[in-house]
């Protein structure tokens, strides 16, 4: 199962674009890359998912280079309410012996 | 409303007293899973289930049991809780076992074992 590495924390001012990169050197051919957002004392919430190139939704963009060994979550014009922990998750769940492993996440602090 | 419901939200108990944390989803999801979250350690998977009567160990299964007798319910059982099981627990589900099915999480159960 692909292990992920993310920065432990990041700070940003309101209105700026924030990019959080996740490394997953051992990503397998059938692995998807999924990002979740978690506020204190709440369960993680799905943000975006991708397999290759670029994916964009109303919340964020996800950039995946051709080798897929990393991915970057881009949050445009962050606000104070974007302060949260962001998790990058990589892996399939097609196998009966495949636990789904979260990394430690990136704690984003948005400053006014 | 589509949701994953965990109960109770908060639980304080003593060492050795058996307890069950319930998890129910109303989305007809096949895949369900339990995680524990501890400071500095992120989310760690305890057990998961790919469908009814199919369960498997995650990263930290010791001291826990689960069952999946119905599709909607996936209870987490602590037969003899110990203080090191004090943690924040999350149940999650997804439509299928395929990797492109996002997880839906419950709001968590904060367990304290004294």
């Amino acid at each position: 199962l692909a292990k992920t590495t993310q920065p432990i924390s990041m700070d940003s001012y309101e209105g700026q674009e924030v990019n959080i990169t996740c490394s997953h050197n051992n990503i397998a051919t059938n692995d998807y890359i999924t990002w979740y957002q978690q506020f204190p004392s709440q369960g993680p919430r799905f943000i975006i998912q991708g397999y290759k190139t670029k994916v964009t939704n109303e919340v964020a963009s996800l950039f995946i280079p051709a080798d897929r060994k990393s991915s970057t979550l881009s949050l445009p014009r962050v606000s104070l309410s974007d302060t949260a922990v962001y998790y990058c998750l990589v892996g399939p769940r097609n196998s009966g012996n495949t636990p789904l492993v979260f990394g430690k996440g990136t704690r984003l602090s948005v400053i006014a | 409303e589509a949701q994953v419901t965990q109960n109770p939200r908060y639980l304080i108990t003593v060492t050795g007293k058996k307890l069950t944390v319930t998890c129910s989803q109303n989305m007809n999801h096949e895949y369900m899973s339990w995680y524990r979250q501890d400071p500095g350690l992120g989310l760690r998977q305890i057990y998961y289930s790919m469908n009814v009567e199919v369960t498997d160990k995650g990263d930290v299964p010791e001291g826990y049991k689960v069952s999946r007798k119905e599709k909607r319910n996936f209870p987490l059982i602590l037969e003899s809780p110990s203080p090191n099981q004090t943690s924040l627990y999350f149940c999650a589900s997804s439509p299928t076992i395929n990797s492109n099915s996002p997880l839906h999480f419950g709001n968590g159960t904060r367990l304290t074992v004294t």
Side-chain angles (χ1 to χ4, degrees), chain A residues 68-106:
Chain A
R68 302 198 333 120
K69 292 183 184 298
S70 67
S71 59
T72 299
L73 174 72
S74 181
L75 303 171
R77 297 181 299 281
V78 294
S79 64
L80 295 175
S81 63
D82 291 317
T83 294
V85 178
Y86 293 82
Y87 292 95
C88 164
L89 193 64
V90 173
R93 274 174 278 133
N94 306 31
S95 165
N97 296 318
T98 310
L100 200 58
V101 179
F102 280 80
K104 295 181 182 179
T106 298

Side-chain angles (χ1 to χ4, degrees), chain A residues 30-32 34 36 38 41-44 46 49 87 89 91-104, chain B residues 9 31 35 37 40 42-43 45 48 50 56-59 90 94 96-103 105-107 110:
Chain A
N30 57 345
D31 285 350
Y32 278 76
T34 311
Y36 293 84
Q38 186 181 26
S41 297
Q42 292 185 27
F46 170 82
Q49 183 178 69
Y87 292 95
L89 193 64
R93 274 174 278 133
N94 306 31
S95 165
N97 296 318
T98 310
L100 200 58
V101 179
F102 280 80
K104 295 181 182 179
Chain B
R9 289 293 309 275
Y31 183 93
Y35 294 85
Q37 186 169 38
L43 284 154
Q45 191 175 42
Y48 63 97
M50 294 196 297
D56 215 334
K57 296 178 181 178
D59 277 342
F90 290 103
S94 68
T96 71
I97 60 171
N98 296 326
S99 63
N100 58 344
S101 292
L103 288 165
F105 283 83
N107 282 328
R110 187 169 294 280

Side-chain angles (χ1 to χ4, degrees), chain A residues 12-89:
Chain A
S12 175
Y13 287 102
E14 272 193 300
Q16 290 189 326
E17 178 184 78
V18 171
N19 296 309
I20 306 173
T21 297
C22 179
S23 297
H24 29 79
N25 292 318
N26 296 325
I27 190 167
T29 304
N30 57 345
D31 285 350
Y32 278 76
I33 300 157
T34 311
W35 285 80
Y36 293 84
Q37 174 191 56
Q38 186 181 26
F39 299 113
S41 297
Q42 292 185 27
R45 182 177 71 103
F46 170 82
I47 302 177
I48 197 166
Q49 183 178 69
Y51 183 80
K52 61 181 179 180
T53 61
K54 176 184 174 183
V55 179
T56 297
N57 62 23
E58 65 278 5
V59 176
S61 294
L62 178 60
F63 299 91
I64 305 169
D67 66 4
R68 302 198 333 120
K69 292 183 184 298
S70 67
S71 59
T72 299
L73 174 72
S74 181
L75 303 171
R77 297 181 299 281
V78 294
S79 64
L80 295 175
S81 63
D82 291 317
T83 294
V85 178
Y86 293 82
Y87 292 95
C88 164
L89 193 64

